[in-house]
Every structure is written in structure tokens, then in C-alpha cells.
Amino acid sequence: MKVGVLTGGGDCPGLNAVIRGIVRKGVQEYQYEFVGYRDGWRGPLEGATVPLDIPAVRGILPRGGTILGSSRTNPFKTENGVRDIKDNLAKHEVDALIAIGGEDTLGVAARLHGEYGVPCVGVPKTIDNDLSATDYTFGFDTAVGIATEAIDRLHTTAESHMRVLVVEVMGRHAGWIALHSGLAGGANVILIPEQRFDLDQVCAWVTSRFKASYAPIVVVAEGAMPKDGDMVLKDATKDSFGHVRLSGVGEWLAKEIEARTGKEARTTVLGHVQRGGTPSAYDRWLATRFGLHAIEAVRDGDFGKMVALKGTDVVRVPIAEATSKLKTVDPALYEEVGVFFG
């Protein structure tokens, strides 16, 4: 059997660990051949490949990013995209395809399998941890660790100057990174997309913190919105999956806080720093297990499935189920950490 592998969407720590797990087990135990597709769905769409064998995956476990490259290519937005993918898979004699990605990448895999019979297996990847049907996605733990370290560092400079520091983290529709890193880093305010925030209340929390002779840290997810406003956009243009570029809510929030409280406020946007660098030990572990179980699903012919973490077990769930809705922060969980606000 010959298996194709691709990584799509935003890059993420742990992608290389998945690739390594797939190839090592596939070659050593099943004697499969592999082909790597370049830059997400662009690879099978255009026939762009790279060699993928055991020598190619040596030494990549601790490396961030992806040796296959990535993109936000949507083949359903390309004329004859599905036909071209099927033609290239046949040309390369590929019997099955493993797609490693988030909501968009796996959404394409679900359609290709469900509507066009392309044998696909999915692996969940997103630092946002917003894929339903899995307890955790790899990349999330690393992103939270990076954001927490940044918050720890910002506490000292905030207190040295007695100013408000607003930390903007990633999270388009789900506030998992903001919630976890904000709580772990001792933030005084955490704002997430699932709960529209009251700007007056935010300013009251900030003022309360200053009265206690401490400088406040405000952590805000990029998709968070005020009760009487809209999402702050960096760029209104959309990618092939219909997403606009976020970022800017942190700067906007700092200006509003400064104007309303009279306290100096600065912004730190962590942005792609959260995606980069070496994966944490947990993400290496989880990504490797996902890779091992993904190639097992291929061996079993269990296509249209995604590997997922349930407790400590890796199970298989329909890709369509995993991408049908986002996993968002439960209001009760957000309320639970509210005791630390202000």
C-alpha cells in the first residue's frame, strides 16, 4: 500500500511528530510506502510531492513547523479541484490519504471521503483546541506554555511601571488559550470570544487592581468582542475558507482602558510566536500517538475517521462529526475562574 500525507492550515508544534509516527510504524510494521504532499491541499491538487521515508523523518521529533509545508488551500474553491486531486492520487498510485489539520483541512477530507469516495483518515491539529470529538489537539499545550511564560514576564514590567498590560493571544471563536494561559499566568482579567465583555466592568477590575497597589494584566483572545461592538479585524479580506484576519482587539482595548481609567496601558500581541518553536513534551507524546493510530486506521481500512483523544485513550470518530461544530469554552468554566478577576 502507498499512503499520502499532508499538513494543512496554520503550522503547529507537533506536526513533525505526527509525520514521524505515521512513517516509522507504516514502514517498519506494515511495509507501506509513503509520499508527502506539499503545502496542504495544494499538494494533491497540483501533484506537488516530496519523498517521505524513514531517513526523511529522522531528527524531526523536536522540530516545530512541518517538513511538508502548509497552506490554507481550499480545493473546492478551485475549478476541477476534486477531479485534479483524484487524478494526482491515481498518478502517484496512492491508496489512502492522511490529512493532518484543523476544522478547515479536515472539513475538506470529510467531503472528499463522504461525497467523492477518497479514502481519508484525519489527525486533529490546532493550537486553538476547538475541534469537537477530541479532548485535546496537539499544539495547544505548547501554545499555552508560550503564552503563560509571556504573561509571567509581563507581570514584572507591569509592576515596575505600574501600568496596564494587555496581552492578545490567538483564539478566533474559542478562548481556550486565553483561559488556560490567563489562569496559569495570574491574569486579572480574561476575555474570550464565547462571552461578550462589558468594557465598564473591565475598567472596574483594572481600577480595583491598582487600588491594591498591583498592576493589572488583561489577557484577551483575538476573537473577543465587547457587548456593544463587533469583532476587531486586522484585514477584511477573506482566505479561501472565508476567514478574515483577526488581531487588533488588544490595541483597541488598551486605548479604551487608558482613556477611561487614566492609567497608562500597553499591548503585547503574541501572534505567531504561539505557533512557533519546539513542541512541548506533552504535544510530542500526543502527536506521536495520533500518528501511530492514524496509520492503524489506514491498515484497517477505517476511512472517513479521525483519531481523537478520549481521556487517555486514542479512539476513532467520524471526521464529519469532529468538524460539524466547534468546541468552545463552557460558560460555567469561565465563571469558575472569575474569582480571580479584579
Side-chain angles (χ1 to χ4, degrees):
M1 179 175 279
K2 193 172 186 180
V3 181
V5 182
L6 65 84
T7 56
D11 67 299
C12 172
L15 282 167
N16 288 324
V18 180
I19 297 167
R20 174 178 174 268
I22 290 169
V23 174
R24 285 287 297 271
K25 185 162 188 173
V27 172
Q28 292 174 198
E29 295 197 11
Y30 309 140
Q31 291 75 53
Y32 290 168
E33 293 182 58
F34 291 89
V35 58
Y37 281 107
R38 287 286 309 171
D39 303 333
W41 288 110
R42 186 181 72 81
L45 189 65
E46 300 177 3
T49 66
V50 295
L52 197 57
D53 52 19
I54 286 182
V57 300
R58 286 197 180 114
I60 68 171
L61 178 62
R63 284 175 56 182
T66 165
I67 62 170
L68 298 179
S70 191
S71 73
R72 297 190 184 277
T73 302
N74 185 351
F76 292 105
K77 295 294 185 179
T78 302
E79 187 177 358
N80 301 318
V82 174
R83 186 193 68 188
D84 290 343
I85 285 177
K86 296 184 76 170
D87 287 348
N88 281 316
L89 292 178
K91 176 183 176 182
H92 299 139
E93 300 180 323
V94 169
D95 302 294
L97 190 61
I98 298 177
I100 310 166
E103 173 196 7
D104 297 325
T105 300
L106 295 183
V108 170
R111 285 191 64 186
L112 285 175
H113 178 264
E115 298 177 25
Y116 302 97
V118 177
C120 294
V121 169
V123 178
K125 171 247 35 159
T126 168
I127 66 169
D128 287 342
N129 197 40
D130 60 0
L131 273 176
S132 61
T134 185
D135 290 349
Y136 285 99
T137 56
F138 70 89
F140 172 68
D141 183 73
T142 303
V144 169
I146 291 168
T148 301
E149 181 182 356
I151 295 167
D152 286 346
R153 292 176 179 274
L154 290 169
H155 270 293
T156 58
T157 188
E159 291 171 8
S160 295
H161 295 274
M162 289 304 289
R163 61 166 63 118
V164 185
L165 279 180
V166 178
V167 185
E168 182 183 300
V169 300
M170 285 185 168
R172 179 179 295 271
H173 300 297
W176 293 109
I177 294 177
L179 186 72
H180 281 240
S181 65
L183 181 62
N188 311 109
V189 182
I190 302 171
L191 306 176
I192 61 176
E194 294 88 340
Q195 301 281 331
R196 284 181 175 260
F197 60 87
D198 183 331
L199 193 52
D200 289 333
Q201 179 62 73
V202 171
C203 290
W205 284 326
V206 166
T207 301
S208 172
R209 183 68 173 172
F210 277 115
K211 287 180 179 178
S213 299
Y214 287 100
I217 299 286
V218 178
V219 175
V220 57
E222 61 187 355
M225 292 180 285
K227 285 184 176 179
D228 56 353
D230 297 316
M231 189 177 289
V232 179
L233 305 180
K234 187 173 185 178
D235 188 339
T237 58
K238 298 180 179 180
D239 64 20
S240 61
F241 289 98
H243 299 311
V244 293
R245 291 177 63 191
L246 299 185
S247 186
V249 66
E251 192 66 37
W252 175 86
L253 188 60
K255 290 178 180 178
E256 289 292 328
I257 290 172
E258 187 166 306
R260 291 169 181 244
T261 66
K263 300 293 186 180
E264 183 182 5
R266 300 289 181 88
T267 307
T268 298
V269 180
L270 297 185
H272 289 83
V273 170
Q274 296 158 93
R275 292 190 182 280
T278 187
S280 67
Y282 179 82
D283 278 340
R284 297 184 203 188
W285 175 86
L286 180 59
T288 298
R289 291 192 70 202
F290 277 164
L292 298 177
H293 283 264
I295 198 62
E296 284 184 3
V298 170
R299 178 203 59 185
D300 295 342
D302 199 6
F303 301 117
K305 299 292 181 63
M306 182 192 84
V307 294
L309 186 69
K310 291 294 184 181
T312 58
D313 296 327
V314 177
V315 300
R316 300 172 192 168
V317 298
I319 301 176
E321 175 188 322
T323 57
S324 62
K325 64 177 181 179
L326 292 176
K327 180 179 68 181
T328 54
V329 175
D330 189 310
L333 182 59
Y334 182 66
E335 184 179 350
E336 184 177 288
V337 304
V339 66
F340 297 106
F341 294 178

